[in-house]
Amino acid sequence: MSLAIIAAVVAAGAVAGCLGALLGIGGAVFLVPFLDVGLGLGFKVARAVSLLTVIATSSVVSSGTAGRHLINLRLGMLLEVGSTAGGLLAVYTVARMADSTLSALFALVTTAIAVLMVTRLEKRNVLETGADIGQFGGRFYEDESKREVAYRVKRLPVGMFASLLAGLVSGTLGIGGGILKVPILNAWCGVPLRAAAATSALMIGVTAVSSAPLYYARGEINPPIAAAAVLGVLAGSRAGFWLGGRARAKWLKLLMAFVLLVVSLVYFRRALG
Amino acid sequence: MTDTPLDRLEVHLGRLLFGGVVLSAACLAVGLSIWLAGGHAPLANGILATGLVMLMATPILRVVVSLVEYARMRDWFFVATTLIVFGVLIVTVTLALLKRI
């Protein structure tokens, strides 16, 4: 291992972190193929290192969003029951399945969500400020309309199931799993995109911690590579967060759907390859 | 907008996560520099390990602080919810430590 490899990992981490923060997903979805295929570190090391960058992204994005009322702490904690259980379960079950099977499943899931994102593009989900938001709802200041908006959480079991699935995918593939939760929370559970993204960003950290220590104990984390990836992602996600506050929710959704399709193509290729 | 205990918790947790990530990043940067310079290997590895463990410990600490705060708010439903999440994390950490030994 040389300075060149470390520099490449830092750069890849920065790009992944920036995209991740912009889209409200871990960004690890770009880092896993890079470490796995690009640097030839193997899927297991790529997954484990990537999970650590997910934790870093979660902490740094959440600390940036805190105070803007976008993070739904109660909904997040409730859904974390599902996502952490999924993360722990993944290590002992799905994570052991054949690479090609996992790639095919993941490709199908991302394609489905990309279609959902485009067909449900204008799902703002906001209510009048005085509306009853229930036990899990929230209020925040919406930049687009320049006023305080409220939302009510619907179909909680769907959100719980999505979180369990996201946890399983996170622990299995080394990604954050926000890629699964955010569209479902937005399309079916009544959560506005920004609140769903902020809540998901907080959740992915603790979700990754439900599986990462096990991979660390197995020696699947290469410390210098992990350090380089984490430092790159931290720099990139700060930049992405700064840019994200200036992008419109509609464009964010379109961009996210496009990214999902690209990711699914990559995984289809891997499944066939 | 009214400032509820939950809003204050959000700000509080934000600072905690920021502190954790800054400390671990500092360790990782120092450890990586020593490693790249080809310096004392056990020292580099030790500092890198400290940084990685700190990184993983930060979200766990977030859950612990949330638990204390929900107990203070006497919000028993969320005390129970947070306890379940904490329980899962304890299982993970215990299994990881057992594997290490």
Side-chain angles (χ1 to χ4, degrees), chain A residues 41-152:
Chain A
L41 293 172
F43 186 71
K44 283 182 174 176
V45 172
R47 163 175 74 190
V49 167
S50 201
L51 273 179
L52 291 176
T53 70
V54 168
I55 301 170
T57 305
S58 171
S59 292
V60 84
V61 173
S62 299
S63 71
T65 331
R68 295 172 66 199
H69 309 272
L70 283 171
I71 304 173
N72 190 325
L73 288 178
R74 292 184 180 194
L75 178 66
M77 191 60 83
L78 192 68
L79 297 179
E80 277 162 17
V81 171
S83 70
T84 53
L88 175 57
L89 198 66
V91 180
Y92 294 97
T93 57
V94 212
R96 293 178 166 172
M97 280 166 70
D99 241 32
S100 56
T101 315
L102 297 174
S103 301
L105 274 174
F106 190 66
L108 286 172
V109 170
T110 46
T111 307
I113 293 173
V115 172
L116 185 80
M117 285 303 300
V118 178
T119 52
R120 302 261 188 146
L121 206 59
E122 294 301 329
K123 208 80 177 164
R124 276 182 73 232
N125 295 325
V126 298
L127 309 167
E128 288 309 311
T129 317
D132 175 23
I133 58 169
Q135 199 183 3
F136 302 103
R139 299 173 204 281
F140 66 93
Y141 180 81
E142 193 185 48
D143 289 335
E144 285 85 358
S145 61
K146 301 204 186 314
R147 65 189 173 92
E148 193 190 312
V149 294
Y151 61 94
R152 195 182 163 90

Side-chain angles (χ1 to χ4, degrees), chain A residues 139-192:
Chain A
R139 299 173 204 281
F140 66 93
Y141 180 81
E142 193 185 48
D143 289 335
E144 285 85 358
S145 61
K146 301 204 186 314
R147 65 189 173 92
E148 193 190 312
V149 294
Y151 61 94
R152 195 182 163 90
V153 179
K154 300 177 288 188
R155 304 186 190 95
L156 206 48
V158 174
M160 203 62 177
F161 179 74
S163 300
L164 179 71
L165 199 68
L168 279 166
V169 169
S170 171
T172 306
L173 303 171
I175 67 168
I179 207 167
L180 285 169
K181 284 193 306 280
V182 175
I184 292 174
L185 287 176
N186 181 243
W188 282 319
C189 302
V191 185

Side-chain angles (χ1 to χ4, degrees), chain A residues 216-262:
Chain A
Y216 184 66
R218 283 184 190 171
E220 287 170 5
I221 289 172
N222 178 320
I225 293 280
V230 166
L231 292 170
V233 162
L234 283 177
S237 63
R238 283 310 294 185
F241 177 71
W242 183 82
L243 290 167
R246 283 148 186 82
R248 289 180 65 92
K250 186 184 163 189
W251 289 106
L252 213 59
K253 277 188 185 180
L254 272 173
L255 192 61
M256 194 161 170
F258 176 73
V259 170
L260 284 173
L261 283 176
V262 174

